[in-house]
C-alpha cells in the first residue's frame, strides 16, 4: 500500500521536471519560462493528460497525493507573493509623475468598468449557486484589471529593456497597478467572505490595522534582521520565512486569504539590507522553481478545457476580448492624454495586458472562496495564458526600428516621450 510520502516522492519530481521542460521550451520560443510552466500545469490536468491518458495521470497524480502537493504548492505561492511585495518599489509609487499615475489609473478603471458590465451579463450563466451578484461582479471586474508585475519585469529584463526609459516607466505603472489591484481584491474578498456589509467593513478595518502595524514595526524588524545577519545568513532566511507565514496566518484569521498576509509582509519588509536581498535570492532560486510548479498543477487540475461546454466558448471569446480591450484602451488612452506619443501609448497598452502568474493567483483565490465557478475559472485561466503569451511578441514588433526606446533610464523618475510644440519628442 502506497504511503503519502511515497506518492509525493513520485509526484513532485514528475511535476517539477515537466514544468522545467515547459519553461525551457517557452524560453526557446522567446517567451518567459513561466508561460511554459503555466501551460504544463494545465496540460497535466484534465485538459490533456487526464483526457487522453487518464491512467498515466492517475499514476503520477493520484487523488491521495493531491492534498499534500496542494499544501506544498501553496507554501511556495506564499513565498512567491512575499517576493512580489519585496520587489515593489514604494518610493516610485510615492514620487510617480502625472503620466505614471494616469496610465496606472486608466489601466485599472476602464477594465473595472467593462469587467463589471460583462460580469453582470455573465452572472446568470456562469456564477456558482448561492453567490450574490455584487461579490461576483466585483471579483470578475477586479480580476480583469490585473497586471503581472513580476512577469512583466522578466519580459523586459530578457529583452534588455528593464533599465531603459520604456522599461522604467512601464514597471512604475505596473507596480502602481498591482498595488491598487491588491487593495481592491482585499476589499472584494472581505465582501465575499463576510456575512453582512458591517462584517466586511470590520474585515477591511482589521486588515488596515494589521498593515499599519507591519509598517510601524519595520524599524524593529530591520534591527532584528541586522543582528541576525551578524550571526548567520541562514537565520535571516528563517526569520523572513517565519514572518511571511505568520503574516499569512494573521490575514487568514482576519477573514481574507493568507496570500494577502505574505504579500503585505513583503511590501513592508525593510529594503536595502544585503542579507535580506541574499535571502530573497535564495528563496527565489530554490523554493520557487521546485515547489511553485505544484501550484500550477493544482490550478491545471481545476482547469478543464476539454470538457468546457460548447456554448461557453463564446463566453471565453468575449472575456478575452473585454480583457484585452479594457487594458489596452485604458492604458493607451491614458498615456496619450498624459502627452505620450502613439508608439509609446501602444506599448503601454500592450505591456499592461501582461497578466501572468498574478492573474492565476487571483483566480485561485476566487475559486477557493466560491465566488466564481469552475467553468469561469477555466475561461479566465485561458485568458491569462493568452494575454501573457502575446505580450513578448507584440513588444518585439512595436519596438522594432525604435532605437530611442533603448536609451538608459534617468537616475530620477522615468519620463515618457511627449510631443513638444514643434512636434519633436523628448
Amino acid at each position: 500500500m502506497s504511503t503519502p510520502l511515497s506518492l509525493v516522492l513520485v509526484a513532485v519530481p514528475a511535476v517539477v521536471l515537466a514544468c522545467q521542460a515547459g519553461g525551457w521550451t517557452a524560453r526557446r520560443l522567446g517567451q518567459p519560462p513561466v508561460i511554459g510552466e503555466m501551460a504544463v500545469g494545465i496540460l497535466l490536468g484534465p485538459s490533456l493528460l487526464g483526457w487522453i491518458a487518464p491512467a498515466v495521470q492517475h499514476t503520477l497524480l493520484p487523488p491521495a497525493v493531491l492534498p499534500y502537493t496542494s499544501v506544498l504548492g501553496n507554501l511556495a505561492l506564499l513565498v512567491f507573493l512575499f517576493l512580489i511585495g519585496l520587489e515593489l518599489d514604494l518610493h516610485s509609487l510615492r514620487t510617480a509623475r502625472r503620466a505614471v499615475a494616469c496610465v496606472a489609473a486608466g489601466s485599472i478603471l476602464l477594465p473595472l468598468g467593462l469587467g463589471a458590465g460583462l460580469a453582470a451579463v455573465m452572472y446568470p450563466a456562469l456564477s456558482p449557486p448561492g453567490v450574490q451578484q455584487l461579490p461576483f461582479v466585483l471579483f470578475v471586474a477586479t480580476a480583469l484589471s490585473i497586471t503581472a508585475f513580476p512577469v512583466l519585469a522578466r519580459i523586459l529584463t530578457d529583452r534588455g529593456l528593464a533599465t531603459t526609459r520604456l522599461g522604467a516607466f512601464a514597471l512604475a505603472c505596473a507596480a502602481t497597478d498591482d498595488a491598487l489591484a491588491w487593495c481592491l481584491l482585499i476589499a472584494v474578498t472581505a465582501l465575499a467572505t463576510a456575512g453582512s456589509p458591517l462584517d466586511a467593513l470590520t474585515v477591511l478595518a482589521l486588515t488596515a490595522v494589521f498593515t499599519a502595524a507591519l509598517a510601524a514595526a519595520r524599524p524593529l524588524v530591520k534591527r532584528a534582521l541586522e543582528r541576525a545577519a551578524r550571526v548567520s545568513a541562514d537565520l535571516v532566511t528563517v526569520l523572513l520565512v517565519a514572518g511571511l507565514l505568520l503574516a499569512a496566518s494573521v490575514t487568514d484569521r482576519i477573514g481574507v486569504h493568507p496570500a494577502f498576509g505574505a504579500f503585505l509582509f513583503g511590501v513592508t519588509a525593510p529594503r536595502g539590507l544585503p542579507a535580506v536581498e541574499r535571502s530573497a535570492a535564495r528563496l527565489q532560486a530554490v523554493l520557487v522553481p521546485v515547489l511553485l510548479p505544484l501550484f500550477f498543477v493544482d490550478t491545471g487540475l481545476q482547469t478543464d478545457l476539454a470538457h468546457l461546454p460548447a456554448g461557453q466558448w463564446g463566453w471565453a471569446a468575449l472575456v478575452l476580448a473585454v480583457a484585452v480591450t479594457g487594458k489596452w484602451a485604458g492604458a493607451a488612452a491614458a498615456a496619450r492624454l498624459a502627452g505620450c506619443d502613439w508608439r509609446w501609448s501602444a506599448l503601454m497598452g500592450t505591456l499592461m495586458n501582461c497578466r501572468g502568474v498574478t492573474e492565476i493567483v487571483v483566480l485561485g483565490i476566487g475559486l477557493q472562496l466560491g465566488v466564481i465557478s469552475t467553468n469561469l475559472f477555466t475561461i479566465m485561466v485561458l485568458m491569462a495564458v493568452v494575454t501573457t503569451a502575446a505580450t513578448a511578441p507584440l513588444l518585439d514588433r512595436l519596438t522594432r526600428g525604435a532605437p530611442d526606446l533603448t536609451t538608459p533610464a534617468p537616475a530620477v523618475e522615468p519620463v515618457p516621450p511627449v510631443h513638444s510644440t514643434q512636434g519633436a519628442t523628448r
Side-chain angles (χ1 to χ4, degrees):
M1 181 178 179
S2 299
T3 65
L5 178 59
S6 65
L7 296 176
V8 168
L9 293 178
V10 173
V12 171
V15 169
V16 171
L17 291 174
C19 286
Q20 282 295 310
W24 179 85
T25 303
R27 193 181 294 110
R28 297 281 293 178
L29 296 174
Q31 293 284 353
V34 71
I35 288 291
E37 295 170 358
M38 291 165 58
V40 166
I42 294 173
L43 296 179
L44 288 177
S47 295
L48 182 66
L49 186 61
W51 178 40
I52 64 174
V56 176
Q57 186 199 44
H58 189 273
T59 300
L60 295 178
L61 297 167
V65 81
L66 298 183
Y68 303 98
T69 56
S70 179
V71 168
L72 292 173
N74 277 282
L75 286 175
L77 175 64
L78 295 180
V79 173
F80 178 73
L81 290 174
F82 161 75
L83 294 173
I84 291 179
L86 194 63
E87 289 176 1
L88 282 181
D89 186 358
L90 296 179
H91 178 71
S92 70
L93 302 189
R94 290 194 299 267
T95 61
R97 291 191 180 183
R98 174 175 169 266
V100 173
C102 187
V103 171
S107 66
I108 284 279
L109 294 177
L110 186 58
L112 276 175
L114 294 180
L118 175 62
V121 176
M122 289 193 303
Y123 176 74
L126 290 172
S127 63
V131 172
Q132 295 183 353
Q133 185 172 13
L134 182 59
F136 176 83
V137 168
L138 292 178
F139 182 86
V140 172
T142 303
L144 291 178
S145 66
I146 294 293
T147 294
F149 173 79
V151 177
L152 181 59
R154 179 61 182 268
I155 292 173
L156 292 170
T157 300
D158 287 346
R159 280 151 178 76
L161 296 172
T163 57
T164 64
R165 295 164 61 240
L166 170 67
F169 183 74
L171 290 176
C173 293
T176 308
D177 193 318
D178 251 14
L180 293 173
W182 280 100
C183 291
L184 285 171
L185 194 58
I186 290 174
V188 173
T189 303
L191 181 63
T193 56
S196 66
L198 181 60
D199 292 337
L201 290 175
T202 302
V203 170
L204 287 175
L206 290 174
T207 305
V209 169
F210 178 60
T211 305
L214 286 176
R218 197 174 188 181
L220 297 176
V221 174
K222 183 177 182 180
R223 285 197 291 271
L225 292 173
E226 288 173 338
R227 291 179 181 176
R230 291 193 288 269
V231 177
S232 73
D234 291 342
L235 183 57
V236 175
T237 304
V238 168
L239 290 178
L240 289 176
V241 172
L244 73 92
L245 293 179
L246 290 173
S249 175
V250 170
T251 54
D252 185 40
R253 290 179 177 273
I254 286 174
V256 293
H257 198 276
F260 298 121
F263 175 76
L264 291 174
F265 185 73
V267 170
T268 56
R271 265 71 166 177
L273 295 180
V276 172
E277 294 175 0
R278 286 193 297 268
S279 294
R282 292 168 71 183
L283 294 173
Q284 176 73 43
V286 178
L287 284 181
V288 172
V290 173
L291 295 183
L292 193 60
L294 298 174
F295 170 76
F296 294 140
V297 170
D298 192 42
T299 301
L301 290 173
Q302 301 174 79
T303 305
D304 192 355
L305 296 174
H307 294 93
L308 188 67
Q312 294 189 0
W313 280 100
W315 286 116
L318 188 57
V319 166
L320 180 61
V322 170
V324 172
T325 302
K327 271 291 187 182
W328 196 93
R336 282 295 293 164
L337 290 174
C340 303
D341 61 28
W342 279 110
R343 185 193 291 264
W344 191 285
S345 301
L347 280 164
M348 287 303 105
T350 299
L351 294 173
M352 292 302 104
N353 251 308
C354 180
R355 288 174 170 85
V357 185
T358 309
E359 181 74 32
I360 302 297
V361 173
V362 170
L363 295 176
I365 292 173
L367 189 63
Q368 289 178 15
L369 296 176
V371 180
I372 58 175
S373 63
T374 303
N375 285 343
L376 182 56
F377 175 81
T378 298
I379 288 171
M380 297 193 72
V381 166
L382 179 63
M383 175 272 296
V385 173
V386 171
T387 54
T388 307
T391 301
L394 289 175
L395 173 64
D396 293 340
R397 185 175 183 83
L398 288 170
T399 55
R400 191 177 303 154
D404 57 302
L405 296 177
T406 62
T407 56
V412 294
E413 177 191 350
V415 182
V418 296
H419 291 295
S420 68
T421 53
Q422 288 79 23
T425 60
R426 64 178 176 89

